Amino acid sequence: MGFAALNPSYVSTRDVGWVERSETRRLLTIILLLLLPSCALGAELKLATWNLEWLTTSDRDLPADVHPKQPEDIDRLRRYAAELDADVIAVQEVDGPAVAARVFPPDNYSIHLSRDDVVQRVGIVVRRGIHYSVNPDLTGLDVSRQLRSGVDITLRSQPPLRILAVHLKTGCFDEKLSNRTRRACAELREQMPPLLDWIRARQSEGVAFAILGDFNRHMDGRDQLWSALRQAAPLSRSTEGRASPCWGGEAFIDHIILGGAARDWLQPDTLRVLTYHETGAEWKERLSDHCPVSVRLRLPD
């Protein structure tokens, strides 16, 4: 297992000494948080997104081919969360705060999930000591009453950072959004107006912002979805032109998009994918079919 540094054709390399550097960075972050409780961020911020694939211990409302997570597998996910060691994590497919807390210990993280009454909830996990405000869920993304709202928070840093976590409709990975024969594409197309409105509002406000999560879309080349997002505001996508080493190699559908001043905060070559030590199809279901994706931002002094 380990973090992979991404090139156009990915190269999975172990980040030697990462654990030691991570522990040092964590201690420095805690010191800064104690010294600067009103800002609570310090100079560097690690953002991540992680779809935890049906993170639930109940068989309530599960498809026939989906099974609840076993305690030992949740323990493994918790160890991977500790290795990820991110400051802010957008999470998807989480069945409530109780099971989320088994992956992200409450002593270390604050957990905010959407109000949706579904098993696959979206949320944002924030390191303790980092102060944030909760904005209303972006409920317009639930276009069919069966999809997921976006989760919206503002980090109370100086300057502030607005963060939206999303989990968009699956099943339309590359097809044209205008494809009327694919219901998935039609629903994804219906999710675009509220998302575009959110981006335009942040651009109008002049705030730094990030959108991260499972877009269920590759967005490479002349992709319609990515083109539409960039027409709403100037944006940067950390995964652009890259491939993921997750589960042996795949195109990204988990993305981290930055807008406003946050585009300039992205640290070059910090895109990482935390791959799992376990291999095999059974582990892909027991853990997650997605790997955590992260970047680092350098906030201005």
PDB file of all heavy atoms in Angstrom, residues 71-107:
ATOM      1  N   PRO A  71     -16.948  -5.734  10.881  1.00  0.00           N
ATOM      2  CA  PRO A  71     -16.128  -4.936  11.815  1.00  0.00           C
ATOM      3  C   PRO A  71     -14.651  -4.902  11.440  1.00  0.00           C
ATOM      4  O   PRO A  71     -14.003  -3.853  11.541  1.00  0.00           O
ATOM      5  CB  PRO A  71     -16.354  -5.625  13.155  1.00  0.00           C
ATOM      6  CG  PRO A  71     -17.709  -6.253  13.025  1.00  0.00           C
ATOM      7  CD  PRO A  71     -17.810  -6.695  11.598  1.00  0.00           C
ATOM      8  N   GLU A  72     -14.114  -6.040  11.013  1.00  0.00           N
ATOM      9  CA  GLU A  72     -12.684  -6.064  10.691  1.00  0.00           C
ATOM     10  C   GLU A  72     -12.364  -5.210   9.463  1.00  0.00           C
ATOM     11  O   GLU A  72     -11.266  -4.647   9.345  1.00  0.00           O
ATOM     12  CB  GLU A  72     -12.199  -7.504  10.473  1.00  0.00           C
ATOM     13  CG  GLU A  72     -12.914  -8.266   9.372  1.00  0.00           C
ATOM     14  CD  GLU A  72     -14.136  -9.037   9.868  1.00  0.00           C
ATOM     15  OE1 GLU A  72     -14.724  -8.625  10.895  1.00  0.00           O
ATOM     16  OE2 GLU A  72     -14.495 -10.046   9.216  1.00  0.00           O
ATOM     17  N   ASP A  73     -13.338  -5.087   8.551  1.00  0.00           N
ATOM     18  CA  ASP A  73     -13.106  -4.261   7.363  1.00  0.00           C
ATOM     19  C   ASP A  73     -13.218  -2.782   7.696  1.00  0.00           C
ATOM     20  O   ASP A  73     -12.478  -1.955   7.151  1.00  0.00           O
ATOM     21  CB  ASP A  73     -14.090  -4.653   6.262  1.00  0.00           C
ATOM     22  CG  ASP A  73     -13.902  -6.094   5.821  1.00  0.00           C
ATOM     23  OD1 ASP A  73     -12.750  -6.564   5.846  1.00  0.00           O
ATOM     24  OD2 ASP A  73     -14.898  -6.748   5.477  1.00  0.00           O
ATOM     25  N   ILE A  74     -14.112  -2.435   8.593  1.00  0.00           N
ATOM     26  CA  ILE A  74     -14.188  -1.047   9.054  1.00  0.00           C
ATOM     27  C   ILE A  74     -12.903  -0.677   9.786  1.00  0.00           C
ATOM     28  O   ILE A  74     -12.398   0.448   9.655  1.00  0.00           O
ATOM     29  CB  ILE A  74     -15.420  -0.844   9.949  1.00  0.00           C
ATOM     30  CG1 ILE A  74     -16.701  -1.046   9.113  1.00  0.00           C
ATOM     31  CG2 ILE A  74     -15.409   0.542  10.585  1.00  0.00           C
ATOM     32  CD1 ILE A  74     -17.986  -0.934   9.908  1.00  0.00           C
ATOM     33  N   ASP A  75     -12.335  -1.623  10.535  1.00  0.00           N
ATOM     34  CA  ASP A  75     -11.058  -1.374  11.207  1.00  0.00           C
ATOM     35  C   ASP A  75      -9.964  -1.085  10.183  1.00  0.00           C
ATOM     36  O   ASP A  75      -9.115  -0.202  10.388  1.00  0.00           O
ATOM     37  CB  ASP A  75     -10.658  -2.577  12.061  1.00  0.00           C
ATOM     38  CG  ASP A  75     -11.532  -2.736  13.294  1.00  0.00           C
ATOM     39  OD1 ASP A  75     -12.215  -1.761  13.666  1.00  0.00           O
ATOM     40  OD2 ASP A  75     -11.536  -3.841  13.881  1.00  0.00           O
ATOM     41  N   ARG A  76      -9.973  -1.829   9.086  1.00  0.00           N
ATOM     42  CA  ARG A  76      -8.984  -1.577   8.031  1.00  0.00           C
ATOM     43  C   ARG A  76      -9.172  -0.184   7.438  1.00  0.00           C
ATOM     44  O   ARG A  76      -8.196   0.541   7.205  1.00  0.00           O
ATOM     45  CB  ARG A  76      -9.106  -2.629   6.925  1.00  0.00           C
ATOM     46  CG  ARG A  76      -8.557  -4.004   7.282  1.00  0.00           C
ATOM     47  CD  ARG A  76      -8.588  -4.924   6.070  1.00  0.00           C
ATOM     48  NE  ARG A  76      -7.959  -6.204   6.355  1.00  0.00           N
ATOM     49  CZ  ARG A  76      -8.589  -7.258   6.838  1.00  0.00           C
ATOM     50  NH1 ARG A  76      -9.897  -7.179   7.091  1.00  0.00           N
ATOM     51  NH2 ARG A  76      -7.951  -8.391   7.066  1.00  0.00           N
ATOM     52  N   LEU A  77     -10.411   0.191   7.179  1.00  0.00           N
ATOM     53  CA  LEU A  77     -10.675   1.518   6.627  1.00  0.00           C
ATOM     54  C   LEU A  77     -10.202   2.607   7.595  1.00  0.00           C
ATOM     55  O   LEU A  77      -9.682   3.644   7.162  1.00  0.00           O
ATOM     56  CB  LEU A  77     -12.169   1.673   6.326  1.00  0.00           C
ATOM     57  CG  LEU A  77     -12.715   0.821   5.180  1.00  0.00           C
ATOM     58  CD1 LEU A  77     -14.235   0.921   5.112  1.00  0.00           C
ATOM     59  CD2 LEU A  77     -12.100   1.245   3.846  1.00  0.00           C
ATOM     60  N   ARG A  78     -10.383   2.376   8.890  1.00  0.00           N
ATOM     61  CA  ARG A  78      -9.919   3.358   9.871  1.00  0.00           C
ATOM     62  C   ARG A  78      -8.400   3.512   9.807  1.00  0.00           C
ATOM     63  O   ARG A  78      -7.877   4.629   9.897  1.00  0.00           O
ATOM     64  CB  ARG A  78     -10.354   2.950  11.281  1.00  0.00           C
ATOM     65  CG  ARG A  78      -9.964   3.994  12.328  1.00  0.00           C
ATOM     66  CD  ARG A  78     -10.474   3.646  13.712  1.00  0.00           C
ATOM     67  NE  ARG A  78      -9.860   2.454  14.250  1.00  0.00           N
ATOM     68  CZ  ARG A  78     -10.489   1.290  14.399  1.00  0.00           C
ATOM     69  NH1 ARG A  78     -11.765   1.163  14.073  1.00  0.00           N
ATOM     70  NH2 ARG A  78      -9.855   0.243  14.892  1.00  0.00           N
ATOM     71  N   ARG A  79      -7.700   2.405   9.620  1.00  0.00           N
ATOM     72  CA  ARG A  79      -6.236   2.501   9.519  1.00  0.00           C
ATOM     73  C   ARG A  79      -5.831   3.252   8.251  1.00  0.00           C
ATOM     74  O   ARG A  79      -4.865   4.024   8.262  1.00  0.00           O
ATOM     75  CB  ARG A  79      -5.622   1.097   9.548  1.00  0.00           C
ATOM     76  CG  ARG A  79      -5.729   0.422  10.923  1.00  0.00           C
ATOM     77  CD  ARG A  79      -4.833  -0.786  11.016  1.00  0.00           C
ATOM     78  NE  ARG A  79      -5.282  -1.888  10.190  1.00  0.00           N
ATOM     79  CZ  ARG A  79      -6.133  -2.843  10.590  1.00  0.00           C
ATOM     80  NH1 ARG A  79      -6.646  -2.792  11.821  1.00  0.00           N
ATOM     81  NH2 ARG A  79      -6.470  -3.822   9.787  1.00  0.00           N
ATOM     82  N   TYR A  80      -6.563   3.033   7.169  1.00  0.00           N
ATOM     83  CA  TYR A  80      -6.265   3.785   5.945  1.00  0.00           C
ATOM     84  C   TYR A  80      -6.588   5.269   6.119  1.00  0.00           C
ATOM     85  O   TYR A  80      -5.874   6.133   5.589  1.00  0.00           O
ATOM     86  CB  TYR A  80      -7.024   3.202   4.752  1.00  0.00           C
ATOM     87  CG  TYR A  80      -6.383   1.949   4.198  1.00  0.00           C
ATOM     88  CD1 TYR A  80      -7.047   0.724   4.229  1.00  0.00           C
ATOM     89  CD2 TYR A  80      -5.108   1.987   3.657  1.00  0.00           C
ATOM     90  CE1 TYR A  80      -6.451  -0.424   3.739  1.00  0.00           C
ATOM     91  CE2 TYR A  80      -4.498   0.833   3.158  1.00  0.00           C
ATOM     92  CZ  TYR A  80      -5.177  -0.370   3.202  1.00  0.00           C
ATOM     93  OH  TYR A  80      -4.576  -1.505   2.714  1.00  0.00           O
ATOM     94  N   ALA A  81      -7.640   5.582   6.861  1.00  0.00           N
ATOM     95  CA  ALA A  81      -7.961   6.988   7.124  1.00  0.00           C
ATOM     96  C   ALA A  81      -6.835   7.651   7.914  1.00  0.00           C
ATOM     97  O   ALA A  81      -6.489   8.814   7.670  1.00  0.00           O
ATOM     98  CB  ALA A  81      -9.281   7.094   7.879  1.00  0.00           C
ATOM     99  N   ALA A  82      -6.257   6.918   8.865  1.00  0.00           N
ATOM    100  CA  ALA A  82      -5.138   7.459   9.632  1.00  0.00           C
ATOM    101  C   ALA A  82      -3.926   7.671   8.739  1.00  0.00           C
ATOM    102  O   ALA A  82      -3.200   8.667   8.877  1.00  0.00           O
ATOM    103  CB  ALA A  82      -4.797   6.513  10.786  1.00  0.00           C
ATOM    104  N   GLU A  83      -3.704   6.754   7.809  1.00  0.00           N
ATOM    105  CA  GLU A  83      -2.578   6.915   6.893  1.00  0.00           C
ATOM    106  C   GLU A  83      -2.828   8.075   5.922  1.00  0.00           C
ATOM    107  O   GLU A  83      -1.901   8.819   5.582  1.00  0.00           O
ATOM    108  CB  GLU A  83      -2.326   5.630   6.109  1.00  0.00           C
ATOM    109  CG  GLU A  83      -1.107   5.721   5.202  1.00  0.00           C
ATOM    110  CD  GLU A  83      -0.775   4.397   4.530  1.00  0.00           C
ATOM    111  OE1 GLU A  83      -1.424   3.387   4.857  1.00  0.00           O
ATOM    112  OE2 GLU A  83       0.139   4.396   3.688  1.00  0.00           O
ATOM    113  N   LEU A  84      -4.054   8.237   5.498  1.00  0.00           N
ATOM    114  CA  LEU A  84      -4.406   9.362   4.631  1.00  0.00           C
ATOM    115  C   LEU A  84      -4.082  10.682   5.322  1.00  0.00           C
ATOM    116  O   LEU A  84      -3.528  11.600   4.712  1.00  0.00           O
ATOM    117  CB  LEU A  84      -5.889   9.293   4.273  1.00  0.00           C
ATOM    118  CG  LEU A  84      -6.459  10.430   3.416  1.00  0.00           C
ATOM    119  CD1 LEU A  84      -5.799  10.455   2.042  1.00  0.00           C
ATOM    120  CD2 LEU A  84      -7.974  10.285   3.288  1.00  0.00           C
ATOM    121  N   ASP A  85      -4.458  10.816   6.576  1.00  0.00           N
ATOM    122  CA  ASP A  85      -4.073  11.944   7.425  1.00  0.00           C
ATOM    123  C   ASP A  85      -4.406  13.287   6.771  1.00  0.00           C
ATOM    124  O   ASP A  85      -3.590  14.209   6.770  1.00  0.00           O
ATOM    125  CB  ASP A  85      -2.581  11.868   7.753  1.00  0.00           C
ATOM    126  CG  ASP A  85      -2.175  12.819   8.872  1.00  0.00           C
ATOM    127  OD1 ASP A  85      -3.000  13.048   9.783  1.00  0.00           O
ATOM    128  OD2 ASP A  85      -1.054  13.350   8.826  1.00  0.00           O
ATOM    129  N   ALA A  86      -5.603  13.392   6.211  1.00  0.00           N
ATOM    130  CA  ALA A  86      -6.010  14.632   5.544  1.00  0.00           C
ATOM    131  C   ALA A  86      -6.680  15.569   6.533  1.00  0.00           C
ATOM    132  O   ALA A  86      -7.194  15.154   7.577  1.00  0.00           O
ATOM    133  CB  ALA A  86      -6.952  14.318   4.386  1.00  0.00           C
ATOM    134  N   ASP A  87      -6.686  16.852   6.198  1.00  0.00           N
ATOM    135  CA  ASP A  87      -7.337  17.851   7.044  1.00  0.00           C
ATOM    136  C   ASP A  87      -8.833  17.929   6.764  1.00  0.00           C
ATOM    137  O   ASP A  87      -9.629  18.121   7.691  1.00  0.00           O
ATOM    138  CB  ASP A  87      -6.703  19.222   6.807  1.00  0.00           C
ATOM    139  CG  ASP A  87      -5.235  19.237   7.174  1.00  0.00           C
ATOM    140  OD1 ASP A  87      -4.926  18.931   8.340  1.00  0.00           O
ATOM    141  OD2 ASP A  87      -4.400  19.548   6.298  1.00  0.00           O
ATOM    142  N   VAL A  88      -9.214  17.796   5.506  1.00  0.00           N
ATOM    143  CA  VAL A  88     -10.617  17.845   5.104  1.00  0.00           C
ATOM    144  C   VAL A  88     -10.851  16.735   4.089  1.00  0.00           C
ATOM    145  O   VAL A  88     -10.118  16.630   3.106  1.00  0.00           O
ATOM    146  CB  VAL A  88     -10.997  19.206   4.482  1.00  0.00           C
ATOM    147  CG1 VAL A  88     -12.463  19.225   4.070  1.00  0.00           C
ATOM    148  CG2 VAL A  88     -10.699  20.348   5.449  1.00  0.00           C
ATOM    149  N   ILE A  89     -11.873  15.893   4.331  1.00  0.00           N
ATOM    150  CA  ILE A  89     -12.159  14.770   3.437  1.00  0.00           C
ATOM    151  C   ILE A  89     -13.626  14.813   3.043  1.00  0.00           C
ATOM    152  O   ILE A  89     -14.515  14.765   3.907  1.00  0.00           O
ATOM    153  CB  ILE A  89     -11.860  13.401   4.100  1.00  0.00           C
ATOM    154  CG1 ILE A  89     -10.469  13.383   4.716  1.00  0.00           C
ATOM    155  CG2 ILE A  89     -12.017  12.275   3.075  1.00  0.00           C
ATOM    156  CD1 ILE A  89     -10.442  13.504   6.220  1.00  0.00           C
ATOM    157  N   ALA A  90     -13.892  14.906   1.746  1.00  0.00           N
ATOM    158  CA  ALA A  90     -15.253  14.709   1.244  1.00  0.00           C
ATOM    159  C   ALA A  90     -15.497  13.207   1.180  1.00  0.00           C
ATOM    160  O   ALA A  90     -14.696  12.470   0.603  1.00  0.00           O
ATOM    161  CB  ALA A  90     -15.406  15.338  -0.139  1.00  0.00           C
ATOM    162  N   VAL A  91     -16.592  12.742   1.793  1.00  0.00           N
ATOM    163  CA  VAL A  91     -16.893  11.310   1.811  1.00  0.00           C
ATOM    164  C   VAL A  91     -18.234  11.053   1.126  1.00  0.00           C
ATOM    165  O   VAL A  91     -19.122  11.906   1.137  1.00  0.00           O
ATOM    166  CB  VAL A  91     -16.911  10.752   3.250  1.00  0.00           C
ATOM    167  CG1 VAL A  91     -15.517  10.806   3.857  1.00  0.00           C
ATOM    168  CG2 VAL A  91     -17.904  11.504   4.130  1.00  0.00           C
ATOM    169  N   GLN A  92     -18.340   9.889   0.530  1.00  0.00           N
ATOM    170  CA  GLN A  92     -19.564   9.491  -0.139  1.00  0.00           C
ATOM    171  C   GLN A  92     -19.943   8.072   0.281  1.00  0.00           C
ATOM    172  O   GLN A  92     -19.099   7.293   0.712  1.00  0.00           O
ATOM    173  CB  GLN A  92     -19.396   9.538  -1.674  1.00  0.00           C
ATOM    174  CG  GLN A  92     -18.985  10.900  -2.232  1.00  0.00           C
ATOM    175  CD  GLN A  92     -17.489  11.083  -2.260  1.00  0.00           C
ATOM    176  OE1 GLN A  92     -16.745  10.207  -2.672  1.00  0.00           O
ATOM    177  NE2 GLN A  92     -17.036  12.249  -1.809  1.00  0.00           N
ATOM    178  N   GLU A  93     -21.237   7.776   0.148  1.00  0.00           N
ATOM    179  CA  GLU A  93     -21.815   6.455   0.441  1.00  0.00           C
ATOM    180  C   GLU A  93     -21.655   6.075   1.912  1.00  0.00           C
ATOM    181  O   GLU A  93     -21.239   4.956   2.244  1.00  0.00           O
ATOM    182  CB  GLU A  93     -21.237   5.382  -0.487  1.00  0.00           C
ATOM    183  CG  GLU A  93     -21.487   5.666  -1.964  1.00  0.00           C
ATOM    184  CD  GLU A  93     -21.296   4.462  -2.867  1.00  0.00           C
ATOM    185  OE1 GLU A  93     -21.373   3.318  -2.375  1.00  0.00           O
ATOM    186  OE2 GLU A  93     -21.087   4.672  -4.073  1.00  0.00           O
ATOM    187  N   VAL A  94     -21.995   6.990   2.796  1.00  0.00           N
ATOM    188  CA  VAL A  94     -21.859   6.784   4.239  1.00  0.00           C
ATOM    189  C   VAL A  94     -23.250   6.756   4.872  1.00  0.00           C
ATOM    190  O   VAL A  94     -24.032   7.690   4.713  1.00  0.00           O
ATOM    191  CB  VAL A  94     -21.011   7.900   4.878  1.00  0.00           C
ATOM    192  CG1 VAL A  94     -20.963   7.721   6.388  1.00  0.00           C
ATOM    193  CG2 VAL A  94     -19.608   7.899   4.281  1.00  0.00           C
ATOM    194  N   ASP A  95     -23.543   5.698   5.617  1.00  0.00           N
ATOM    195  CA  ASP A  95     -24.866   5.506   6.215  1.00  0.00           C
ATOM    196  C   ASP A  95     -24.906   6.068   7.644  1.00  0.00           C
ATOM    197  O   ASP A  95     -25.089   5.340   8.611  1.00  0.00           O
ATOM    198  CB  ASP A  95     -25.220   4.017   6.212  1.00  0.00           C
ATOM    199  CG  ASP A  95     -26.650   3.751   6.683  1.00  0.00           C
ATOM    200  OD1 ASP A  95     -27.462   4.697   6.669  1.00  0.00           O
ATOM    201  OD2 ASP A  95     -26.932   2.605   7.067  1.00  0.00           O
ATOM    202  N   GLY A  96     -24.695   7.375   7.755  1.00  0.00           N
ATOM    203  CA  GLY A  96     -24.882   8.020   9.043  1.00  0.00           C
ATOM    204  C   GLY A  96     -23.600   8.291   9.811  1.00  0.00           C
ATOM    205  O   GLY A  96     -22.551   7.709   9.549  1.00  0.00           O
ATOM    206  N   PRO A  97     -23.680   9.168  10.814  1.00  0.00           N
ATOM    207  CA  PRO A  97     -22.498   9.582  11.579  1.00  0.00           C
ATOM    208  C   PRO A  97     -21.896   8.482  12.445  1.00  0.00           C
ATOM    209  O   PRO A  97     -20.700   8.495  12.714  1.00  0.00           O
ATOM    210  CB  PRO A  97     -23.011  10.742  12.430  1.00  0.00           C
ATOM    211  CG  PRO A  97     -24.498  10.566  12.491  1.00  0.00           C
ATOM    212  CD  PRO A  97     -24.885   9.926  11.193  1.00  0.00           C
ATOM    213  N   ALA A  98     -22.702   7.540  12.906  1.00  0.00           N
ATOM    214  CA  ALA A  98     -22.175   6.501  13.793  1.00  0.00           C
ATOM    215  C   ALA A  98     -21.144   5.630  13.083  1.00  0.00           C
ATOM    216  O   ALA A  98     -20.054   5.384  13.608  1.00  0.00           O
ATOM    217  CB  ALA A  98     -23.312   5.655  14.348  1.00  0.00           C
ATOM    218  N   VAL A  99     -21.472   5.159  11.896  1.00  0.00           N
ATOM    219  CA  VAL A  99     -20.522   4.314  11.177  1.00  0.00           C
ATOM    220  C   VAL A  99     -19.367   5.154  10.642  1.00  0.00           C
ATOM    221  O   VAL A  99     -18.227   4.680  10.565  1.00  0.00           O
ATOM    222  CB  VAL A  99     -21.229   3.530  10.046  1.00  0.00           C
ATOM    223  CG1 VAL A  99     -21.669   4.447   8.911  1.00  0.00           C
ATOM    224  CG2 VAL A  99     -20.337   2.398   9.530  1.00  0.00           C
ATOM    225  N   ALA A 100     -19.614   6.421  10.305  1.00  0.00           N
ATOM    226  CA  ALA A 100     -18.525   7.304   9.866  1.00  0.00           C
ATOM    227  C   ALA A 100     -17.503   7.478  10.981  1.00  0.00           C
ATOM    228  O   ALA A 100     -16.287   7.512  10.733  1.00  0.00           O
ATOM    229  CB  ALA A 100     -19.081   8.650   9.431  1.00  0.00           C
ATOM    230  N   ALA A 101     -17.977   7.575  12.233  1.00  0.00           N
ATOM    231  CA  ALA A 101     -17.087   7.781  13.369  1.00  0.00           C
ATOM    232  C   ALA A 101     -16.198   6.564  13.629  1.00  0.00           C
ATOM    233  O   ALA A 101     -15.166   6.685  14.308  1.00  0.00           O
ATOM    234  CB  ALA A 101     -17.901   8.105  14.611  1.00  0.00           C
ATOM    235  N   ARG A 102     -16.577   5.409  13.121  1.00  0.00           N
ATOM    236  CA  ARG A 102     -15.740   4.226  13.276  1.00  0.00           C
ATOM    237  C   ARG A 102     -14.555   4.249  12.313  1.00  0.00           C
ATOM    238  O   ARG A 102     -13.569   3.538  12.519  1.00  0.00           O
ATOM    239  CB  ARG A 102     -16.577   2.962  13.080  1.00  0.00           C
ATOM    240  CG  ARG A 102     -17.608   2.786  14.184  1.00  0.00           C
ATOM    241  CD  ARG A 102     -18.550   1.629  13.917  1.00  0.00           C
ATOM    242  NE  ARG A 102     -17.853   0.338  13.828  1.00  0.00           N
ATOM    243  CZ  ARG A 102     -18.461  -0.813  13.599  1.00  0.00           C
ATOM    244  NH1 ARG A 102     -19.798  -0.832  13.471  1.00  0.00           N
ATOM    245  NH2 ARG A 102     -17.783  -1.932  13.524  1.00  0.00           N
ATOM    246  N   VAL A 103     -14.648   5.057  11.271  1.00  0.00           N
ATOM    247  CA  VAL A 103     -13.539   5.235  10.330  1.00  0.00           C
ATOM    248  C   VAL A 103     -12.735   6.484  10.679  1.00  0.00           C
ATOM    249  O   VAL A 103     -11.505   6.486  10.605  1.00  0.00           O
ATOM    250  CB  VAL A 103     -14.065   5.317   8.882  1.00  0.00           C
ATOM    251  CG1 VAL A 103     -12.919   5.582   7.897  1.00  0.00           C
ATOM    252  CG2 VAL A 103     -14.791   4.029   8.499  1.00  0.00           C
ATOM    253  N   PHE A 104     -13.447   7.540  11.079  1.00  0.00           N
ATOM    254  CA  PHE A 104     -12.817   8.819  11.430  1.00  0.00           C
ATOM    255  C   PHE A 104     -13.109   9.094  12.909  1.00  0.00           C
ATOM    256  O   PHE A 104     -14.170   9.628  13.240  1.00  0.00           O
ATOM    257  CB  PHE A 104     -13.359   9.936  10.541  1.00  0.00           C
ATOM    258  CG  PHE A 104     -13.172   9.696   9.072  1.00  0.00           C
ATOM    259  CD1 PHE A 104     -14.198   9.160   8.299  1.00  0.00           C
ATOM    260  CD2 PHE A 104     -11.957   9.991   8.468  1.00  0.00           C
ATOM    261  CE1 PHE A 104     -14.026   8.936   6.941  1.00  0.00           C
ATOM    262  CE2 PHE A 104     -11.775   9.764   7.107  1.00  0.00           C
ATOM    263  CZ  PHE A 104     -12.802   9.241   6.337  1.00  0.00           C
ATOM    264  N   PRO A 105     -12.204   8.734  13.813  1.00  0.00           N
ATOM    265  CA  PRO A 105     -12.466   8.842  15.258  1.00  0.00           C
ATOM    266  C   PRO A 105     -12.864  10.261  15.657  1.00  0.00           C
ATOM    267  O   PRO A 105     -12.217  11.233  15.264  1.00  0.00           O
ATOM    268  CB  PRO A 105     -11.122   8.441  15.881  1.00  0.00           C
ATOM    269  CG  PRO A 105     -10.461   7.592  14.845  1.00  0.00           C
ATOM    270  CD  PRO A 105     -10.878   8.156  13.529  1.00  0.00           C
ATOM    271  N   PRO A 106     -13.927  10.410  16.448  1.00  0.00           N
ATOM    272  CA  PRO A 106     -14.413  11.736  16.847  1.00  0.00           C
ATOM    273  C   PRO A 106     -13.395  12.563  17.618  1.00  0.00           C
ATOM    274  O   PRO A 106     -13.489  13.787  17.627  1.00  0.00           O
ATOM    275  CB  PRO A 106     -15.640  11.412  17.720  1.00  0.00           C
ATOM    276  CG  PRO A 106     -16.081  10.059  17.268  1.00  0.00           C
ATOM    277  CD  PRO A 106     -14.835   9.333  16.893  1.00  0.00           C
ATOM    278  N   ASP A 107     -12.437  11.926  18.273  1.00  0.00           N
ATOM    279  CA  ASP A 107     -11.395  12.687  18.956  1.00  0.00           C
ATOM    280  C   ASP A 107     -10.522  13.447  17.960  1.00  0.00           C
ATOM    281  O   ASP A 107      -9.920  14.474  18.308  1.00  0.00           O
ATOM    282  CB  ASP A 107     -10.501  11.768  19.788  1.00  0.00           C
ATOM    283  CG  ASP A 107     -11.204  11.252  21.034  1.00  0.00           C
ATOM    284  OD1 ASP A 107     -12.277  11.793  21.375  1.00  0.00           O
ATOM    285  OD2 ASP A 107     -10.688  10.300  21.645  1.00  0.00           O
TER     286      ASP A 107
END
